[in-house]
Amino acid sequence: NIVAAIDARDAQISKVEDRGYILSRIESLAPGAADAEAEGLSLVTARVSEALRGWLVASAREVLASVVPAEPSVGCWATSCRRHQNDRCFWRSILLNQVGVLLQSAGDLDAAEALYRESLGN
């Protein structure tokens, strides 16, 4: 998961002379914390991850909106997936399922459930 791999501690600055200013701003996010720098970096990581998840969800919804609804194939899920690899129904179901996974991880369980059900043809 690309979002889970984000960590503000890994960020790099282009101007070394900005380091003090940046760290003071990060520490100001966690005033009074025993390790304000570490706590501030954790908060930055959380905010960046949340923003990226929001962008991913919005992008995924855009893609889904642009996909023409598939006409389900008769018995599409009753046979081997290999037989249907070129079937539009199969690939659309995969897309619906993966966007459902994304929505579930973002906490939008109702929307995820709707996509899971649609991907299964229910």
Side-chain angles (χ1 to χ4, degrees):
N1 181 327
I2 192 169
V3 177
I6 292 174
D7 190 333
R9 292 176 297 186
D10 297 331
Q12 297 179 7
I13 57 174
S14 56
K15 294 182 179 180
V16 175
E17 59 270 15
D18 290 343
R19 181 177 172 74
Y21 172 76
I22 292 169
L23 287 177
S24 71
R25 298 295 295 163
I26 288 171
E27 290 169 357
S28 73
L29 296 172
D35 189 352
E37 182 180 325
E39 185 65 29
L41 285 169
S42 292
L43 292 169
V44 169
T45 297
R47 289 179 185 172
V48 169
S49 296
E50 182 182 336
L52 186 53
R53 271 191 207 93
W55 175 80
L56 286 170
V57 168
S59 296
R61 286 185 169 146
E62 261 183 52
V63 169
L64 278 180
S66 70
V67 174
V68 177
E71 297 173 12
S73 301
V74 175
C76 182
W77 294 106
T79 58
S80 165
C81 288
R82 280 187 220 150
R83 187 171 163 206
H84 293 283
Q85 284 185 353
N86 294 321
D87 188 347
R88 191 173 72 170
C89 173
F90 172 79
W91 290 113
R92 185 169 190 283
S93 292
I94 295 296
L95 176 62
L96 288 166
N97 187 67
Q98 291 304 305
V99 175
V101 169
L102 178 63
L103 292 172
Q104 181 180 355
S105 72
D108 192 347
L109 302 181
D110 291 337
E113 179 184 6
L115 292 181
Y116 289 147
R117 289 185 182 282
E118 187 178 347
S119 76
L120 294 171
N122 294 335

